[in-house]
Structures are given as structure tokens and as C-alpha cells.
Amino acid sequence: MTAHGASREATAAARERLDALTDSTSVDAATLAGELASVTALFDREVSLRRVLTDPAQPGEAKAELAGRILGGQVSGPAADLVAGTVRSRWSSSRHLVDALEELANIADLTAAQKSGALDDVEDELFRFGRIVSSNPDLRAALTDRAATGTAKSELLRSLLGGRANPVTERLVTRLVTAPRGRSLEAGLEALSKLAAERRDRMVAVVASAVPLSDTQKQRLGAALAKLYGRPMHLNLDVDPEVVGGIRVQVGDEVINGSLADRLDDAARRMAG
């Protein structure tokens, strides 16, 4: 097994444990998300601690017991047990452990949205927020200003999203902005969108069209793309009058135009049909 392979397996195991926890009606996913976010911040800040907790020379059970002692009384039993199980695994890098805990916190929040029937809204709000930021350099500068405090950024986001977006969206974006952990704002929002899509085992297609698509066109395009890629597809829609040919579709790193015009033509025929 490669070093990175060890972290991938540990992350996958942690996600399975999280799913098992949040399947229980006695565990509140949103509360769990907040607790995991607090642990992420602690481990991110305490470099020596996370190095001890990922030291391959230390027995897994000893590391789990240490995590339990540190977190005892600070988080709920389910959260402490989840973290203990996570540090018990083998990690190739102490940073990978923190990355995984952050991902678990975000997944828990998205699970809360899914349980309340708001996951689609959260997906759309994340996409729209990304578009607002990309079109407003002053806003982006304020949200990424290293000299600004986390409190100031949180207050700015509250003024923008409070009461207008789902609380899960606000929490996800606030954590990303106040603790970017070396990522660009755009990369962080993209990662959140992908996690949201995964909750329904869907891919995300970013669709830019010269004019707004009708509901029928959206349904036909979604069906055509789902057939093309073999997976359910969530459409993030944007209107751009300068789009050549009327429509542009991007799925992951693949842009459906130019050399892939035959695929786009097929999708367009399905929409028209």
C-alpha cells in the first residue's frame, strides 16, 4: 500500500463510520458537524498533537485513548468515538487526518440538509454564491483578506447569507472562509459542491446558456447528460449571453464543446426533441 493509499483507506473508513452514526435517529447530524469542525480546528492548530496522533510507531489503541482523553467533556460521546476511531487508523500525513476531519464535518452538515429535504437548495446556493464571488472582486478580496479577522468575515457572511440561505449553506461557507487552510475560495466551494453531489451519488454539470433554459430543457439536458456519463446529474445553471452556440456544459475537467461538439449536439437534439 502506498503512503497516500493509507490515508485514502483511512478516510473511506471514517466516512463509513460517519454514515453509520448519522443513520441513527438519536444523533443530530448538524450538532455532530459543529463538534467535528471544532476538533478540526484544534488539530489544525496543534501541530505536535496531530503528529502524535498519526505517528505510525504508536499503537492505534493508544492514540485513540489519547484522543478520547483530550476530547472528553468537550464533545459528545458519538463525536469522540468517531474521532478516536479515525486516529486509530494509519495516516501517511498528519495533514491528511485534519483534511479528513474537515471533510467529515462538511458531510455531516450536508447529511443534515439531506435529512431535512434541503440538499438541493444547499447545492444551488453554494453554486450561486460562487458565481457572486467570482463576479465581485471587492467581495472576494474582503472574504480572502488575510489581515481581516475571522469574526469580521463571519459578520460579513451573516449580512450576505443570514435569512437568505439555508443555515447549512451559511455554516459551510463560513467555515471555508474563516479557515481556508491554504485553499483558494473557488477550490473550497468546488469541493463542497462535489461533496453535496456525492450525497445523492450524482455528478455536477455546470451549464452556461445564452438564455435561461426552460424546465423542459433542464429535464432533457439532465437526462441526456446522465445517460452520457452513466450517473445521475445535478445541473448548476448560469446565464451568459456571450456563450458561443447558446450553451456550454462542463462536467469535472471536461468541457462539452469544440472537440466534443458531437456530444453537445446530441444533448441539444435531446433537449429539442
Side-chain angles (χ1 to χ4, degrees), residues 44-63:
D44 191 47
R45 184 172 61 250
E46 301 294 338
V47 178
S48 58
L49 172 61
R50 71 170 187 258
R51 285 177 176 168
V52 170
L53 292 175
T54 55
D55 184 353
Q58 299 297 320
E61 194 56 41
K63 292 185 286 188

Side-chain angles (χ1 to χ4, degrees), residues 120-130 164-167 169:
D120 284 345
D121 290 338
V122 171
E123 286 184 87
D124 290 337
E125 288 166 358
L126 288 171
F127 174 74
R128 289 201 301 272
F129 182 76
R164 299 178 180 85
N166 187 280
T169 304

Side-chain angles (χ1 to χ4, degrees), residues 80-136:
D81 289 343
L82 178 59
V83 174
T86 301
V87 302
R88 192 180 284 114
S89 297
R90 177 188 170 197
W91 296 90
S92 56
S93 164
S94 65
R95 294 291 297 176
H96 293 170
L97 170 63
V98 184
D99 291 343
L101 289 171
E102 181 183 52
E103 184 174 284
L104 294 180
N106 291 336
I107 291 173
D109 249 336
L110 291 167
T111 300
Q114 186 175 29
K115 285 187 172 184
S116 67
L119 185 55
D120 284 345
D121 290 338
V122 171
E123 286 184 87
D124 290 337
E125 288 166 358
L126 288 171
F127 174 74
R128 289 201 301 272
F129 182 76
R131 283 294 184 264
I132 291 171
V133 170
S134 65
S135 64
N136 191 326

Side-chain angles (χ1 to χ4, degrees), residues 170-184:
E170 186 174 351
R171 289 197 297 269
L172 290 171
V173 172
T174 299
R175 286 202 296 266
L176 171 62
V177 169
T178 56
R181 302 186 57 242
R183 294 160 305 194
S184 70

